[in-house]
Amino acid sequence: MNAVPRRLSSLLAISLATLLAGSGMASAQTPATAGLDRHLDRLPQRPGANFTPNWSEQGFTNQTIRQVVRISAGGARARIRLSNAYGTAPLKVSGATVARTASGAAVQPASLRQLTVKRARAFTISAGAELATDPVTLGLSDLDSVTVTLYLAAPTGPATYHAQAMATSYRAAGDHRADSGAGAFDQTSLSWYYLSGVDVIGRASRQGAVVAFGDSLTDGYGSSPGADNRYPDELAERLAAMGRPRAVLNQGIGGNRVTVDSAWLGDRATSRFRRDVLGQPGVRSVIILEGINDIGMSEAPSPIGAPPTDVSADEIIAGHRALIRQAHARGVRAIGATLPPMKGSRYHTARSEAKRDAVNTWIRTSGAYDAVVDLDRALASPQDEDLLDPAYDSGDHLHLNDAGYRAAAHAVDPTDLG
């Protein structure tokens, strides 16, 4: 789902933190995955303009970036994954730290750890590559937040990033990787830079990972920045409260479509599914919430969503069938989520509503999915089934607020997750 924000402070988001249970050390270019349980992942994007101002095009020179992420479940050790996927030159990291978060840009001093790669504090990530640091002892509990700090002395050029993080990142001039306080970090951004994962190592996994795959409804657009109230966050909290904590990976990209590739809004779902879902270790099930942007951008194209493409309900359904086939071929349970109401939004017309109804009817009745999360009915207004419940509406009649994302998480039947 994608809507142009009314305020620059609004954003689409993708959550980040990954949790791995197991042991072993990643190679400097290809993180090890054997025996790991990855909880949340971060999808890198090409540098460029987006819905909110960001630092990706200008990059960094003699600056420190501090970023806060939340994990799903705890463990004894942690390592950080960094991505230079869209860099055109090697990325030189002059130093990096990780710590338990205090508040804002401040960290708990006793938890501050220097990060290394092959025991070196300074390291380089090749253009187009991802790198995992050596593990450090940190001691994290379920749903803890960690702070990752990168010092970039040499000019980086345009930065691989994720545009909409629903979290605040901080920047300071000079080297402040070891600061426990927040004083030097006087600039903020609503994007994440280079950070592609936080792996927590140590506790044996008892259940496979759940992947939440989708667009800005999975990203958490409309939720409170920094509050971790996206629906995958709420689902992770719910499972932990039930005494069943497990990996929940947020693989949402704001504006993503089932059938159309976009420079800014990600590869189409049918092409990125193999990497973003099946490429993650230990995946047991996937919740697929995709299609509203194919419908809405057929009616209300946006320059940021180029190319404009008219997509039919049958084409969206064919895309869903392709995703299900990919999942089943790898033994992964496929759970389909119906598309929530959108009446009153810029996407809504009689034609788009007919497409949404057709897609939702197929998801509910075809039997193609192993289970269904009926968000259309769970989130609808009692007075008008085509309208979001006002209690769940972020204000644009398309995206959810914190209460809406909580309701979406509670619409998931935990027994369907496998």
Side-chain angles (χ1 to χ4, degrees), residues 122-407:
F123 49 87
T124 299
I125 309 173
S126 302
E130 182 177 278
L131 172 151
T133 68
D134 304 328
V136 296
T137 300
L138 196 55
L140 296 168
S141 300
D142 298 348
L143 306 176
D144 268 355
S145 291
V146 297
T147 297
V148 179
T149 306
L150 307 176
Y151 173 51
L152 305 167
T156 65
T160 296
Y161 84 131
H162 188 79
Q164 314 295 342
M166 291 309 299
T168 302
S169 296
Y170 305 89
R171 185 171 69 176
D175 182 3
H176 294 277
R177 70 187 118 157
D179 290 15
S180 59
F185 294 92
D186 57 357
Q187 300 173 66
T188 61
S189 168
L190 295 179
S191 300
W192 274 321
Y193 304 87
Y194 302 117
L195 190 55
S196 63
V198 177
D199 300 340
V200 178
I201 306 167
R203 187 166 64 189
S205 175
R206 292 172 295 177
Q207 297 173 300
V210 178
V211 179
F213 181 79
D215 49 42
S216 57
L217 282 175
T218 300
D219 286 348
Y221 177 84
S223 66
S224 299
D228 296 312
N229 287 334
R230 314 161 188 91
Y231 106 73
D233 297 317
E234 296 286 351
L235 180 58
E237 290 179 13
R238 183 181 175 207
L239 294 172
M242 294 170 63
R244 301 170 58 185
R246 64 190 295 182
V248 180
L249 293 74
N250 188 330
Q251 299 292 60
I253 297 179
N256 197 232
R257 284 170 279 185
V258 176
T259 62
V260 183
D261 292 323
S262 170
W264 287 349
L265 305 178
D267 296 339
R268 65 189 182 275
T270 51
S271 64
R272 74 181 182 91
F273 190 83
R274 186 173 302 278
R275 176 197 67 194
D276 297 340
V277 177
L278 304 181
Q280 308 306 314
V283 174
R284 181 72 175 273
S285 57
V286 57
I287 303 170
I288 297 170
L289 175 55
E290 281 266 18
I292 203 69
N293 289 311
D294 300 76
I295 294 171
M297 290 186 192
S298 297
E299 303 298 311
S302 165
I304 203 168
T309 308
D310 190 2
V311 181
S312 69
D314 286 343
E315 289 173 308
I316 297 169
I317 291 168
H320 276 256
R321 287 191 183 276
L323 298 177
I324 295 167
R325 285 195 299 270
Q326 290 186 55
H328 286 171
R330 294 285 292 274
V332 173
R333 285 179 58 79
I335 301 166
T338 56
L339 307 178
M342 61 176 183
K343 185 176 180 180
S345 77
R346 70 186 191 92
Y347 277 0
H348 186 264
T349 66
R351 194 170 80 119
S352 66
E353 186 61 34
K355 289 182 184 180
R356 189 182 72 89
D357 286 343
V359 171
N360 282 349
T361 297
W362 176 83
I363 291 172
R364 287 191 192 103
T365 64
S366 68
Y369 275 108
D370 298 305
V372 172
V373 181
D374 203 339
L375 296 183
D376 177 34
R377 290 175 177 164
L379 301 173
S381 166
Q383 284 73 45
D384 185 343
E385 64 182 11
D386 294 332
L387 187 71
L388 274 178
D389 188 323
Y392 300 149
D393 191 346
S394 68
D396 63 5
H397 310 302
L398 187 65
H399 297 93
L400 306 177
N401 57 20
D402 292 348
Y405 287 116
R406 190 171 303 112

Side-chain angles (χ1 to χ4, degrees), residues 2-55:
N2 178 52
V4 176
R6 292 169 298 169
R7 302 186 305 274
L8 287 178
S9 60
S10 299
L11 69 159
L12 302 162
I14 284 184
S15 61
L16 165 62
T18 60
L19 184 150
L20 289 79
S23 62
M25 182 172 168
S27 119
Q29 295 301 328
T30 306
T33 57
L36 299 178
D37 182 14
R38 184 165 294 163
H39 275 227
L40 269 156
D41 221 1
R42 178 61 171 187
L43 301 176
Q45 291 180 256
R46 296 173 180 84
N50 211 283
F51 294 108
T52 56
N54 67 80
W55 304 323

